[in-house]
């Protein structure tokens, strides 16, 4: 993965978001890079390339627990919780899982990891 190119893509997609994002641009970059670093460290390979549309979708979902990317009972994930969530995610055995970032952001995975390690 070309880190500079990927970072530029994240920043460009962040700037296109329609509403004020609760996280700073730098926090979003840091969270995504933390995930990809953890992927590399645990899977011993680079994470597959993701498209701009996927980056935009992940940025929209990032602050919130639910799949739609909107507040769930008024609660959201504080950006500082993400390193613990990511470590917990890669420490969990998911049968037949590729551990790609789209899986991490699907369903209730982040919510369950939050309850497991941050609540």
């Amino acid at each position: 993965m070309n880190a500079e190119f990927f970072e530029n893509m994240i920043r460009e997609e962040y700037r296109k978001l329609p509403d004020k994002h609760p996280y700073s641009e730098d926090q979003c970059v840091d969270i995504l890079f933390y995930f990809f670093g953890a992927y590399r460290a645990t899977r011993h390979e680079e994470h597959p390339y993701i498209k701009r549309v996927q980056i935009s979708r992940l940025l929209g979902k990032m602050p919130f627990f639910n799949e739609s990317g909107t507040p769930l009972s008024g609660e959201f994930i504080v950006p500082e919780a993400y390193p613990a969530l990511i470590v917990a995610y890669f420490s969990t055995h998911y049968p037949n899982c590729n551990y790609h970032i789209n899986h991490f952001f699907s369903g209730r995975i982040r919510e369950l990891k939050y309850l497991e390690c941050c609540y």
Side-chain angles (χ1 to χ4, degrees), residues 7 12 28 37 47 49 63 77 86 89 101 104 108 112 117:
E7 181 177 343
E12 288 170 11
C28 291
H47 189 281
Y49 174 82
I77 304 168
I86 292 166
Y89 173 72
I101 197 163
F104 177 65
R108 296 184 61 209
L112 295 172
C117 64

Side-chain angles (χ1 to χ4, degrees), residues 13-116:
E13 292 307 309
Y14 179 90
R15 292 173 190 146
K16 291 180 189 176
L17 294 173
D19 298 320
K20 178 77 175 126
H21 200 282
Y23 295 179
S24 73
E25 187 175 314
D26 288 338
Q27 287 172 321
C28 291
V29 169
D30 291 345
I31 290 166
L32 292 175
F33 271 87
Y34 191 93
F35 183 92
F36 291 120
Y39 181 93
R40 184 173 42 261
T42 58
R43 307 292 290 177
H44 310 291
E45 63 185 13
E46 292 294 325
H47 189 281
Y49 174 82
I50 62 173
K51 298 176 183 176
R52 284 181 180 273
V53 67
Q54 292 170 303
I55 292 170
S56 181
R57 184 178 51 79
L58 297 176
L59 292 173
K61 286 181 171 188
M62 195 175 283
F64 308 108
F65 285 116
N66 66 348
E67 187 71 9
S68 68
T70 57
L72 180 65
S73 303
E75 296 201 23
F76 65 93
I77 304 168
V78 295
E80 298 79 17
Y82 265 97
L85 299 180
I86 292 166
V87 168
Y89 173 72
F90 283 107
S91 299
T92 303
H93 174 69
Y94 296 101
N96 302 315
C97 178
N98 59 18
Y99 290 86
H100 290 177
I101 197 163
N102 292 314
H103 179 255
F104 177 65
F105 275 89
S106 69
R108 296 184 61 209
I109 290 173
R110 291 172 303 126
E111 179 184 6
L112 295 172
K113 294 296 116 187
Y114 182 86
L115 293 172
E116 178 184 312

